[in-house]
Amino acid sequence: MDDFLQQCRAVIGSQYVLIDEADRKPYETEWRQRYRGHCLAVLRPASTTEVADLVKLCRQFKISIVPQGGNSGLVIGSVPDSSGNSVVLSLRRLNKIRAIDTDNNTITVDAGCILNDVQQSADNSQRLFPLSLASEGTCTVGGNLSSNAGGTAVLRYGNARELCLGLEVVNAQGEIWDGLKGLRKDNTGYDLRDLFIGAEGSLGIITAAVMKLYPKPKAIQTALVALSSPEAALELLNLSREGFGPALTGFEFISAICLELVHKHFPDIPLPFSEAYSYYVLLEISDHESESHARQLAENVLGQALEGAIISNAVIADSMTQANNLWKLRENISMAQAAEGKNIKHDISLPSSCIPAFMMMTAQLLESHFPGCRLICFGHMGDGNLHYNISPPIGVNDQNFISNQEAINRLVHDQVHAYNGSISAEHGIGSLKRKELLRYKSAVELQMMRAIKSALDPDNIMNPGKIL
Ligand SMILES: Cc1cc2nc3c(=O)[nH]c(=O)nc-3n(C[C@H](O)[C@H](O)[C@H](O)COP(=O)(O)OP(=O)(O)OC[C@H]3O[C@@H](n4cnc5c(N)ncnc54)[C@H](O)[C@@H]3O)c2cc1C
């Protein structure tokens, strides 16, 4: 191994080959600190050619590679296993904005650019880069693409896959594929770009990307709406799609317990209603005319919903501060839940038409098998994505309750499968959901996935043990 490390140092410089325990630790530990792996070294290249040279060395010495961006993934995909036989290849030093083309509405960025920095660069050029996640100060574009990240604006702009036009990739042989085209139409055979997006580093290393930009909206209007049932939320979704058209940017579902937890653990965030309701929806619209047009639109549609008794109450934000406070209620749900104790998480998606039935049936089943368990359900309902987390009954020790994880996963995921949904809407598979993938994908699907993996990475050096 000394020979391998020596050659890595020759490629990227000694200071970028990290072998000390303390230096490696943050790269070996996953975001929620539930797992720490062990690697031979952390390699920190600064360019595509350095990445390519390192991959060639890894191949030669039969060392597997765990690509890593911001290490904010939630499925244990960006950290090594415990064998100590792999290297973490951190993309964070590839962090340049390569070009902005405002006429083509595209931005070309290195894979290690932090999402926040890409949003800022677009904004400086009077454009919008709409991908938006709570981890945007940490996650990288390469990681967003490799996990096909979603976030709060998928309803209007699509997920990371839909925002990407071209890629530059170092394949498992250490060759560079330059697919950095800013084309919206390109029907020239198999779409290699789409293979690498969502592959979680298991097929190659994304080193740069061309991403779509949009005109900046003139006004953003935010509202929090109270309603009595998931059925009413679905009705409101349909009304909003019709009434707001493409202006509808966000439609976040929040159950009452989520706001109770946020209020308990973040009492400084103001609650907009004096009374409690069973469910809420946080709505956002982006308007290309004016503030007053956006306000009028929101008042019209929500007025119609009130008249039709679809909703029970609504607050339309009067200021940026109020809008930010409404979003803080949504964004702090995960933190409030973590402060409350351990819980069993699911990141699922369903056809939106099935959400009310799924929620009713699954809640009944959970209550009959795990009486008193608390359902912390919230998420991007506009694109069918729910975070469906189960907390222990009040007074039950969370550590004891977590021992039910496998049984609860089975119950929830079987229900998701029965409704033709997905067991991973936006976080990916990593090593956390590998067993679940094997259970719910058909034999034909798994066989095609394995064929792609072995064709592109015959030596199995790209993030082995993840996804498949
Ligand atoms: C507070 C919080 C909120 C979040 N909210 C959302 C959300 O709303 N929506 C959502 O989708 N996700 C969310 N996530 C999950 C996470 O932020 C996303 O998955 C993000 O896209 C990961 O980016 P990253 O740079 O941190 O990737 P990493 O965690 O470093 O890596 C993720 C996966 O991609 C691979 N990878 C990373 N970079 C590359 C590359 N350049 N080439 C090839 N493979 C690579 C890794 O090996 C790993 O398998 C959230 C996470 C946190 C902590």
Side-chain angles (χ1 to χ4, degrees):
M1 277 317 110
D2 285 351
D3 192 13
F4 167 72
L5 292 174
Q6 217 35 52
Q7 293 198 43
C8 290
R9 289 185 187 105
V11 173
I12 54 175
S14 307
Q15 70 271 42
Y16 298 117
V17 178
L18 314 182
I19 52 166
D20 289 346
E21 151 97 27
D23 293 338
R24 291 191 332 258
K25 189 177 173 191
Y27 298 87
E28 294 174 333
T29 310
E30 65 95 32
W31 179 271
R32 290 187 181 129
Q33 317 247 329
R34 289 163 305 182
Y35 176 81
R36 178 176 172 193
H38 178 54
C39 66
L40 188 62
V42 176
L43 306 178
R44 302 190 62 224
S47 69
T48 303
T49 44
E50 287 186 1
V51 172
D53 290 346
L54 290 175
V55 172
K56 281 183 196 138
L57 279 177
C58 289
R59 190 163 178 241
Q60 182 190 335
F61 284 88
K62 298 191 182 345
I63 287 168
S64 55
I65 301 167
V66 182
Q68 191 179 96
N71 197 15
S72 71
L74 299 175
V75 289
I76 316 184
S78 52
V79 290
D81 64 19
S82 55
S83 67
N85 293 331
S86 52
V87 289
V88 169
L89 197 147
S90 167
L91 277 301
R92 289 290 312 281
R93 290 181 65 229
L94 276 77
N95 57 7
K96 289 182 199 59
I97 305 287
R98 294 196 189 177
I100 295 191
D101 182 343
T102 48
D103 290 333
N104 195 40
N105 269 327
T106 48
I107 185 167
T108 306
V109 299
D110 278 354
C113 284
I114 300 289
L115 175 56
N116 233 179
D117 296 340
V118 180
Q119 294 165 340
Q120 198 52 56
S121 295
D123 193 63
N124 294 344
S125 297
Q126 300 311 312
R127 293 293 182 275
L128 171 75
F129 180 59
L131 188 65
S132 175
L133 328 177
S135 54
E136 60 202 20
T138 311
C139 63
T140 61
V141 172
N144 298 149
L145 287 165
S146 300
S147 58
N148 187 23
T152 51
V154 173
L155 183 58
R156 165 73 178 87
Y157 299 101
N159 47 28
R161 183 186 302 283
E162 279 139 332
L163 294 171
C164 179
L165 294 174
L167 287 183
E168 179 186 83
V169 170
V170 171
N171 68 13
Q173 289 68 39
E175 299 158 330
I176 299 169
W177 168 49
D178 180 354
L180 287 176
K181 288 183 176 174
L183 301 177
R184 284 163 177 85
K185 285 190 166 183
D186 181 13
N187 279 350
T188 49
Y190 303 131
D191 197 328
L192 297 177
R193 176 197 60 198
D194 271 353
L195 273 183
F196 291 102
I197 297 175
E200 300 181 44
S202 66
L203 299 179
I205 299 173
I206 297 174
T207 47
V210 185
M211 307 299 291
K212 288 184 197 169
L213 297 177
Y214 291 83
K216 267 169 48 171
K218 293 252 175 12
I220 306 268
Q221 187 68 68
T222 309
L224 189 74
V225 167
L227 21 75
S228 60
S229 66
E231 284 81 1
L234 181 59
E235 242 187 291
L236 179 66
L237 177 60
N238 285 328
L239 183 73
S240 301
R241 282 182 181 134
E242 219 177 281
F244 297 128
L248 182 62
T249 321
F251 193 97
E252 299 286 312
F253 179 79
I254 302 170
S255 56
I257 189 169
C258 301
L259 284 203
E260 283 163 28
L261 290 180
V262 173
H263 188 55
K264 178 173 167 191
H265 295 286
F266 298 92
D268 292 343
I269 306 175
L271 287 178
F273 302 119
S274 50
E275 56 181 304
Y277 295 90
S278 302
Y279 298 95
Y280 304 87
V281 165
L282 182 66
L283 266 168
E284 188 166 277
I285 58 169
S286 311
D287 190 274
H288 285 273
E289 286 195 31
S290 63
E291 294 277 353
S292 58
H293 185 262
R295 174 103 203 169
Q296 194 58 56
L297 198 58
E299 283 176 4
N300 287 350
V301 174
L302 296 181
Q304 220 179 313
L306 264 176
E307 270 169 36
I310 298 172
I311 63 175
S312 317
N313 207 344
V315 166
I316 300 177
D318 268 331
S319 62
M320 198 55 144
T321 310
Q322 198 182 6
N324 287 342
N325 281 335
L326 293 180
W327 270 107
K328 276 188 200 161
L329 290 171
R330 163 67 184 86
E331 282 162 359
N332 281 293
I333 296 173
S334 297
M335 300 283 278
Q337 230 189 317
E340 187 73 2
K342 290 197 168 68
N343 58 79
I344 300 171
K345 296 190 185 334
H346 307 96
D347 162 43
I348 57 174
S349 71
L350 296 147
S352 34
S353 49
C354 297
I355 286 178
F358 165 85
M359 285 184 65
M360 189 186 69
M361 291 303 297
T362 312
Q364 279 174 9
L365 283 171
L366 282 166
E367 181 56 31
S368 66
H369 289 84
F370 307 96
C373 67
R374 290 174 291 164
L375 309 184
I376 320 286
C377 180
F378 61 98
H380 320 298
M381 183 174 175
D383 29 271
N385 180 189
L386 295 180
H387 298 305
Y388 194 82
N389 304 337
I390 322 293
S391 282
I394 291 170
V396 170
N397 174 284
D398 56 1
Q399 207 56 51
N400 293 344
F401 185 73
I402 292 291
S403 63
N404 295 309
Q405 171 129 21
E406 232 176 289
I408 289 186
N409 284 350
R410 185 62 49 246
L411 188 156
V412 172
H413 287 162
D414 278 356
Q415 279 289 105
V416 168
H417 191 60
Y419 282 97
N420 237 338
S422 168
I423 57 153
S424 182
E426 58 175 10
H427 294 162
I429 297 296
S431 50
L432 191 68
K433 295 187 182 168
R434 223 162 44 134
K435 275 211 297 220
E436 299 296 284
L437 186 86
L438 293 181
R439 182 179 170 91
Y440 296 107
K441 289 269 184 203
S442 70
V444 178
E445 229 172 335
L446 284 170
Q447 183 203 322
M448 289 193 286
M449 286 171 73
R450 288 191 181 112
I452 292 168
K453 168 77 176 166
S454 63
L456 292 185
D457 179 23
D459 302 319
N460 196 25
I461 61 166
M462 297 305 313
N463 218 357
K466 312 291 163 52
I467 304 186
L468 291 169

